[in-house]
Amino acid sequence: MVDVARAVERMESFLAEQLADAGAEGYVVGVSGGLDSAVATTLAARAVGPDSVTGLVMPGRPNSEANMADARALCRDLGVAFEEISIQPIVDATEAQLPFEPATPTLGNVRARTRMVLEYAVANEHDQLVLGAGNRSERLLGYVTKYGDDAVDVQPMKDLYKSDIPQVARHVGVDERFIEKTPTAALWEGQTDESELGAKYETIDTVLRRVVDADQSPAQVARATGIDREIVDRLVDRWRSSAHKRTQPPGPSLRE
């Protein structure tokens, strides 16, 4: 398990170092009202000061007004200035221009990429870096939108498993209401992380730690943990099949 105090110290040092190395004015972070973005925003405010952080609140279906209210409140509590831009007109315009009726996941990816377009527009305007709120669980399972939520300048929490984040949140003083929320990327109505992935994050992370970090076989994991072999196999298959999301786009070598 992660040493929370050490992890927080390292992430905050990393954020300060990256900003100094880039010579940028600060960070912009999409604040969704969920736990991961709340932790990322808090870490940045602690690391480089709230005056060097811009929150970007992006309402739009299916994100609830309650989440948007929590996002605004978080920024105010931290002393972080925030801007609010709705993704809905952009998503609607994109959907209207498509020569087909987009499937639900397709439109969800449009939402994720629209958010990142807006984050980079704000970052460019203010000479800031885009701060990501991704974690190791999502990355290993490919549970990200290519050039959407994974298209950022820095990812301070990329080595934290999802099940580690509540401990980090409590350590840095994030309000318990964020920790208690059901994880969702808010890409379509009724979407939740765990229902889409088919297992709770505690189970997911147990499998990933053993398979990826400890190099155990699916059979070994199932025997040692009592987790259903079918669930283990499905998670391992997802990890293997999503490798393309963890690498740079491929191209032929022309210099040999």
Side-chain angles (χ1 to χ4, degrees), residues 112-121 130 147-152:
R113 293 182 179 119
T114 298
R115 291 171 189 157
M116 199 50 59
V117 167
L118 294 176
E119 288 181 34
Y120 269 98
V130 174
Y147 310 113
D149 48 327
D150 73 333
V152 297

Side-chain angles (χ1 to χ4, degrees), residues 138-222:
E138 294 169 344
R139 185 167 179 78
L140 287 176
L141 293 181
Y143 194 58
V144 297
T145 297
K146 260 191 170 183
Y147 310 113
D149 48 327
D150 73 333
V152 297
D153 293 316
V154 293
Q155 284 278 31
M157 301 190 297
K158 68 180 294 185
D159 265 356
L160 287 178
Y161 282 100
K162 179 70 173 181
S163 55
D164 293 329
I165 293 178
Q167 302 171 65
V168 172
R170 293 186 176 100
H171 186 86
V172 299
V174 172
D175 192 281
E176 196 71 22
R177 73 181 185 278
F178 291 97
I179 299 170
E180 293 172 353
K181 290 189 180 191
T182 299
T184 174
L187 296 181
W188 55 82
E189 197 67 44
Q191 184 265 345
T192 68
D193 294 6
E194 293 177 337
S195 64
E196 196 175 356
L197 293 170
K200 292 187 174 298
Y201 271 116
E202 289 79 3
T203 299
I204 291 168
D205 291 351
T206 296
V207 172
L208 293 176
R209 288 178 196 275
R210 288 176 174 269
V211 172
V212 181
D213 299 342
D215 198 27
Q216 294 182 8
S217 70
Q220 288 174 312
V221 174

Side-chain angles (χ1 to χ4, degrees), residues 76-125:
R76 293 188 184 108
D77 290 346
L78 292 172
V80 166
F82 67 91
E83 300 182 23
E84 187 161 338
I85 307 172
S86 175
I87 68 169
Q88 201 58 54
I90 303 169
V91 173
D92 289 345
T94 302
E95 184 177 12
Q97 290 300 313
L98 293 173
F100 51 83
E101 184 71 27
T104 296
T106 301
L107 199 57
N109 286 334
V110 169
R111 291 187 177 102
R113 293 182 179 119
T114 298
R115 291 171 189 157
M116 199 50 59
V117 167
L118 294 176
E119 288 181 34
Y120 269 98
V122 172
N124 291 161
E125 191 68 17

Side-chain angles (χ1 to χ4, degrees), residues 41-52:
T41 306
T42 302
L43 288 170
R46 287 164 51 105
V48 301
D51 291 345
S52 296

